[in-house]
Amino acid sequence: MKRKIRQTNFCHNIYYWTKRIPKGKVATYGLIAYLAGNVYAARIVGWALHILSDEELKKIPWYRVVNKEGRISTTCLKHNKLLQKKLLEKEGIKVKIKKNNFYIDLKKYLWLPKMKDNITKRV
DNA sequence: ATCGTGACGAACG
DNA sequence: CCGTTCGCCACGA
């Protein structure tokens, strides 16, 4: 069966790791970038998730990824921050509302992958 | 190969 | 506590 997700190196790793974020936890773009093998590719992570189709997004917990401040930072009109907040709360993650933005408490919810897994997939 | 894009991040002012 | 700028770099056109 053909996979529809991007199979180019980085994107593949990004999706791989994003899928591994446990329920009830969140990761940052920078963290995913690091796990995917490039600390400086945080922007690509956002971009990579942005280009996914609805069908692909069903399989990938894109909403568990926030920026380093813990802020929901999607600019996608369809998969907007309100939707993301809703999905996160559904998993028991508290979302703080600050001004016009939504924030996650990273101290509490940040996913800390095991070093073993980490080494496995380093490029 | 070059260039614009971007859901980032850190550093400024 | 804003907004801006710059550095980062894979990807698609």
Side-chain angles (χ1 to χ4, degrees), chain A residues 9-10 12-14 16-17 20 30-41 113-123:
Chain A
N9 301 327
F10 244 1
H12 176 80
N13 283 347
I14 288 165
Y16 173 89
W17 282 104
R20 271 180 141 56
L31 176 60
I32 297 296
Y34 167 74
L35 293 170
N38 194 334
V39 210
Y40 301 108
K114 291 175 186 171
M115 195 52 73
K116 231 182 198 176
D117 299 337
N118 193 335
I119 296 167
T120 307
K121 198 61 186 181
R122 287 298 295 278
V123 182

Side-chain angles (χ1 to χ4, degrees), chain A residues 56-121:
Chain A
E56 292 154 357
L57 288 173
K58 281 181 198 164
K59 305 179 218 161
I60 300 175
W62 57 274
Y63 52 86
R64 292 190 192 137
V65 187
V66 296
N67 74 9
K68 203 164 189 187
E69 303 167 5
R71 192 183 77 239
I72 293 177
S73 60
T74 172
T75 59
C76 184
L77 295 177
K78 188 158 194 228
H79 309 95
N80 53 61
K81 46 191 178 187
L82 198 59
L83 172 63
Q84 187 168 0
K85 171 176 175 284
K86 204 169 140 192
L87 290 167
L88 288 170
E89 288 177 333
K90 211 168 94 181
E91 299 193 342
I93 296 177
K94 287 183 185 175
V95 180
K96 288 184 282 189
I97 304 173
K98 203 174 180 181
K99 298 277 181 182
N100 234 352
N101 288 122
F102 301 137
Y103 288 84
I104 314 300
D105 186 356
L106 290 182
K107 294 252 188 236
K108 192 169 179 184
Y109 297 109
L110 180 63
W111 174 45
L112 299 171
K114 291 175 186 171
M115 195 52 73
K116 231 182 198 176
D117 299 337
N118 193 335
I119 296 167
T120 307
K121 198 61 186 181

